[in-house]
Amino acid sequence: MKKALITGVTGQDGAYLAKFLLDRGYKVYGMTARRSTASLWRLEFLGIHEQVELIEGDMGDMSSLVRAVRVSKPDEVYNLAAQSFVGTSWKQPVTTAQVSGLGVLHMLEAIRLTDPTIRFYQASTSEMFGLVQQPIQSETTPLYPRSPYGVAKLFGHWSTVNYRESFDIFACSGILFNHESPLRGIEFVTRKVTDAVARIKCGKQKELRLGNIDARRDWGYAGDYVKAMWLMIQQDKPEDYVIATGTTTTVREMCQIAFEYAGLNMEDHLVIDPELYRPAEVDILQGNPAKARERLGWRAETPLRELIRMMVDADLQRVRAGESREIFSV
Ligand code: NAP
Ligand code: G4F
């Protein structure tokens, strides 16, 4: 039986990946940071909280990563843990650098010192393209991050490449474009919108305040994207891959889809709040997933409209069931 260690198992991707691997017969270890309240609601939502073996550890504490690797003895490590919210990265730049940047190096060192035959996946990001240097971004597009988060991820990405080239570790990096789901954190724009639409529909909220709705993103479904992580780590050679849908949509259009689906008029509720603009913006992202299609046989399967509908339905169900937002953190 193959064994996998997932950092960030309590996050959106960690939960979907754990389910994906369990369904394929893996023994799954999930690393969790100590929190004052439990954050297992996503694993519970997918019905797998009792199947994932939890190991305490924090990306900022290398000794805890060495311990997690020693205890789990994994064949594969998926490093998904991060301070992943771009907005917060301007408010906590040092924490973001430590967790999302230096933390990657901590894990690479833990693997190098413990068992360099372990295969390693790093959750890199399209945010590294930032101020885009090419209209459509691929594995060869120059990087130009625009946030402390993007800068931290750049460090993690290049550390992964460097450990592959220096120590012959099977280390690969998925440059994933935005991916969403009903398990998305409420601070990200798609979920903020679908939660608000559900609450407005149920008479619990009147307005939705957003920042830059002209920004464009290449949005896919997280459930599709975790398969690409696994495929990358199964290859004969470790390489980096762009994972994207290949299409781009404005925040405004995405929002429109959600309001229309719920039978609401967006103009009646949407308020633009300049306070929500970012100090530096990534105006547009559009990925070229050709390499993943050709080498991994992977493609995004869920269109944006279907994804947003899935998210609105899930949020309507939560609001109608009277769940407070806090209950999602159970
Ligand atoms: P997420 O929902 O925010 O999950 C992040 C995970 O990291 C959570 O489990 C969190 O634990 C954990 N974490 C945070 N700080 C930690 C620390 N100091 N030590 C250990 N664990 C810590 O993120 P996601 O959307 O699933 O994304 C997964 C990864 O892919 C992240 O690295 C993200 O940067 C990257 N990525 C995401 C996207 C996307 O569109 N979703 C695109 C490209 C790349 P708690 O639950 O306890 O806070
Ligand atoms: O949903 P967002 O916060 O995602 P963002 O910044 O693109 O980052 C996400 O995708 C990255 C991959 O490219 C990941 F690496 C990262 O971890 C994360 O998952 O914002 C999307 C866009 C931005 O342009 C933002 O300015 O929506 C715009 N936006 C407009 N109003 C808003 C809001 N974003 C948020 N979160 N909240 C708003 O009110």
Side-chain angles (χ1 to χ4, degrees):
M1 181 192 274
K2 267 196 182 175
K3 288 186 284 180
L5 171 65
I6 304 175
T7 72
V9 75
T10 54
Q12 170 189 259
D13 292 6
Y16 281 113
L17 178 65
K19 169 108 178 68
F20 179 90
L21 295 175
L22 285 167
D23 287 348
R24 270 150 197 82
Y26 276 70
K27 164 84 184 160
V28 176
Y29 293 87
M31 200 189 80
T32 52
R34 197 265 158 187
R35 301 285 186 248
S36 63
T37 43
S39 54
L40 300 178
W41 66 272
R42 292 183 175 96
L43 299 178
E44 286 169 3
F45 184 94
L46 296 177
I48 55 168
H49 52 293
E50 285 172 354
Q51 295 169 57
V52 174
E53 189 152 332
L54 300 176
I55 302 177
E56 203 176 305
D58 192 292
M59 296 309 292
D61 179 343
M62 193 184 134
S63 63
S64 73
L65 304 188
V66 171
R67 183 179 160 274
V69 171
R70 279 192 187 153
V71 168
S72 58
K73 299 186 178 57
D75 301 288
E76 300 168 1
V77 169
Y78 295 86
N79 187 39
L80 309 186
Q83 189 305 94
S84 75
F85 185 47
V86 173
T88 289
S89 76
W90 279 282
K91 295 174 184 146
Q92 298 186 40
V94 177
T95 302
T96 303
Q98 284 166 343
V99 176
S100 312
L102 201 55
V104 184
L105 189 56
H106 287 163
M107 183 55 93
L108 285 163
E109 273 294 89
I111 289 173
R112 185 179 72 81
L113 296 169
T114 312
D115 176 3
T117 67
I118 293 170
R119 293 188 169 208
F120 175 77
Y121 170 85
Q122 168 57 18
S124 286
T125 165
S126 52
E127 181 73 14
M128 300 188 303
F129 294 120
L131 186 62
V132 295
Q133 303 294 296
Q134 288 173 343
I136 297 182
Q137 301 89 51
S138 72
E139 294 79 4
T140 55
T141 302
L143 305 170
Y144 192 139
R146 290 277 275 176
S147 60
Y149 167 78
V151 173
K153 281 285 183 177
L154 197 86
F155 177 82
H157 177 73
W158 282 110
S159 298
T160 303
V161 174
N162 182 252
Y163 269 54
R164 178 167 77 215
E165 295 175 353
S166 306
F167 303 115
D168 204 21
I169 289 177
F170 190 109
C172 57
S173 192
I175 307 174
L176 270 55
F177 283 62
N178 299 51
H179 45 281
E180 321 292 312
S181 74
L183 300 186
R184 189 58 145 149
I186 211 147
E187 65 274 36
F188 299 94
V189 75
T190 52
R191 180 79 204 291
K192 180 175 176 181
V193 167
T194 61
D195 172 69
V197 161
R199 296 175 69 80
I200 292 168
K201 185 74 182 171
C202 296
K204 292 185 183 298
Q205 185 172 324
K206 285 202 161 48
E207 62 177 35
L208 165 63
R209 302 183 85 82
L210 292 180
N212 177 16
I213 60 170
D214 294 318
R216 304 184 79 96
R217 289 292 181 275
D218 181 329
W219 278 296
Y221 171 47
D224 293 342
Y225 284 40
V226 296
K227 184 178 180 189
M229 300 174 186
W230 176 76
L231 283 168
M232 274 176 228
I233 236 177
Q234 308 311 313
Q235 299 306 301
D236 292 337
K237 260 178 60 194
E239 289 191 36
D240 307 324
Y241 294 85
V242 158
I243 301 297
T245 69
T247 58
T248 189
T249 309
T250 60
V251 172
R252 182 198 310 271
E253 287 160 338
M254 176 275 294
C255 205
Q256 187 80 48
I257 293 171
F259 274 92
E260 268 178 26
Y261 179 56
L264 296 167
N265 182 8
M266 183 176 83
E267 314 304 332
D268 295 341
H269 305 282
L270 183 58
V271 177
I272 301 303
D273 183 348
E275 287 289 312
L276 295 171
Y277 276 66
R278 292 177 173 175
E281 180 60 284
V282 173
D283 294 319
I284 176 163
L285 290 173
Q286 183 169 8
N288 175 0
K291 179 178 174 187
R293 197 165 49 234
E294 285 153 23
R295 305 260 193 95
L296 306 178
W298 179 90
R299 63 173 65 238
E301 284 167 19
T302 312
L304 180 61
R305 191 168 289 275
E306 194 181 317
L307 168 63
I308 295 299
R309 289 176 173 190
M310 191 197 308
M311 293 174 69
V312 171
D313 283 341
D315 278 322
L316 276 170
Q317 212 174 335
R318 286 169 176 140
V319 176
R320 285 181 181 142
E323 289 180 21
S324 72
R325 288 195 181 97
E326 287 69 31
I327 212 162
F328 306 147
S329 305
V330 161

